[in-house]
Amino acid sequence: MDTDNLNILLSKQLFGDDFAWGVSTAALQIEGSCNADGKSPSIWDTFSSKKGKILNGDKPAIACDFYNRYELDIDLVKELNIPNFRFSIAWSRILPDGTGRVNQAGIDHYNRVINYCLKQGIEPWVTLYHWDLPQVLEDRGGWTNREIVNWFSNFATICAQNFGDRVKYWMVMNEPAVFTGAGYFLGIHAPGKIGLRNFLPAIHHVVLSIVAGARILRKLVPDAQIGNTFSCSHIEPYADKPKHINAAKRADALINRLFIEPILGLGYPTDEVTALKGIYKYHQPGDEDNISFDFDFIGIQNYTREIVKYSFFTPYIGASLVKAEKRNVELTDMKWEVYPPAIYHMLKKFNAYPQIKKLIITENGAAFPDEVVNNQIEDAKRVKYLQTHLQQVLKAKQEGCKVDGYFVWTLTDNFEWAEGYHPRFGLVHIDFETQQRIIKSSGHWYANLLG
């Protein structure tokens, strides 16, 4: 297929009538109102209060004020012709103590959001867990404590019981490799823990919890489409030499295979990364029957590719990333390489797992600096990024890949975790001083594509 001509050809119709078009968000990044109406602190409320953890000392306390402005933002979703809106539920808004007592004000809020989506003709897609663990549970070990499987099951049950009559699309957790790797191994995300002694139990308890949550949804919302989302990066070796090729394989196991393979029934990829064998220390009898699930769809979230080289001094995996800014390539504001074929390669990679029924791109987007001129934002780089990535999605689909949806990250500029408010990913610009919203040219482009 000639991808050079796809700029002219790109149209909604080419993807088929059943293709799910959407936009994705996350509670912690947009809601604000971090202690309103009975909500308790999440690990990110705590982490962001520590000096030096978040760029510019930014905090998610107000964010996009979606908690109060949800009707305005859902109206924007409708104005942009986007039929599917992905958002997450803040665990500590529903269960301020982590378990037990249910906060009715939290239930009421999400009922209002769901009902308003449906009123506007927009399908809600709900993520149960998007990184914002209640701090009270982290105080008890968080994901390193096996008891969290029960805590999460309690949360999933309450959400299914309260929202399952209207929500037909569910994602159990968002990007487990990122929140365990960055939060429990590298310490650069909340809760800021480091080392294998935290990482390995967190991995196993997250897998057990994903499967437990999925089974609860299947039982309580039997007609629902149930999925889980996974981060992935296309990985290439720095050079065509065995040491770099093998380093790339180890990085691939950690970045791309670590969670999807056990959940598909293939076990942990300990063949490539022997340090992962320590995970079996946390196995208990019967666990092998509780770490896989037959999902209706798998969400993949891709932004870039990584070049990997052998590194003697990198513990456990003997590999390191060659930073994009050192490779003379086009960069986003996150210093990620702009490399559209990455999403094609990841679709092909995940399509090769016969256990996967359906793939949906549940996040793809880019942060670029935006300039407001005469109350308008011309973000040509973002438009091109989305166009070229959709061309690659279409190429994969036309070659027979089972890809059935595409969600842009994200609706509005927001709190981008450790990067604070600096990187702007939104189709809609937000002035965080005034909370004014301005649709960017990328938002108008997406609306025209979907119109």
Side-chain angles (χ1 to χ4, degrees), residues 356-378:
I356 294 177
K357 297 175 182 173
K358 183 189 292 189
L359 291 170
I360 294 176
I361 304 290
T362 39
E363 285 184 24
N364 176 241
F368 291 109
D370 295 324
E371 189 180 358
V372 183
V373 179
N374 297 326
N375 219 36
Q376 293 183 323
I377 295 114
E378 294 295 331

Side-chain angles (χ1 to χ4, degrees), residues 91 128-129 133 142-157 171-173 176 179 201-217 226-228 259 263 268 287 290-293 295:
W91 188 339
L128 282 179
Y129 184 75
L133 186 70
W143 292 107
T144 68
N145 184 343
R146 189 181 171 96
E147 191 60 30
I148 202 166
V149 182
N150 294 324
W151 302 337
F152 182 73
S153 296
N154 177 224
F155 172 57
T157 299
M171 286 140 285
V172 182
M173 291 194 198
F179 77 78
I203 294 166
H204 189 53
H205 300 153
V206 165
V207 171
L208 288 167
S209 297
I210 289 171
V211 172
R215 287 176 177 172
I216 287 163
L217 288 168
I226 301 166
N228 202 77
F259 284 89
I263 279 163
Y268 294 106
D287 279 7
N290 293 310
I291 61 170
S292 63
F293 184 79
F295 280 101

Side-chain angles (χ1 to χ4, degrees), residues 405-418:
Y406 177 87
F407 285 61
V408 173
W409 182 268
T410 180
L411 177 64
T412 54
D413 297 334
N414 59 25
F415 178 80
E416 189 51 45
W417 310 110

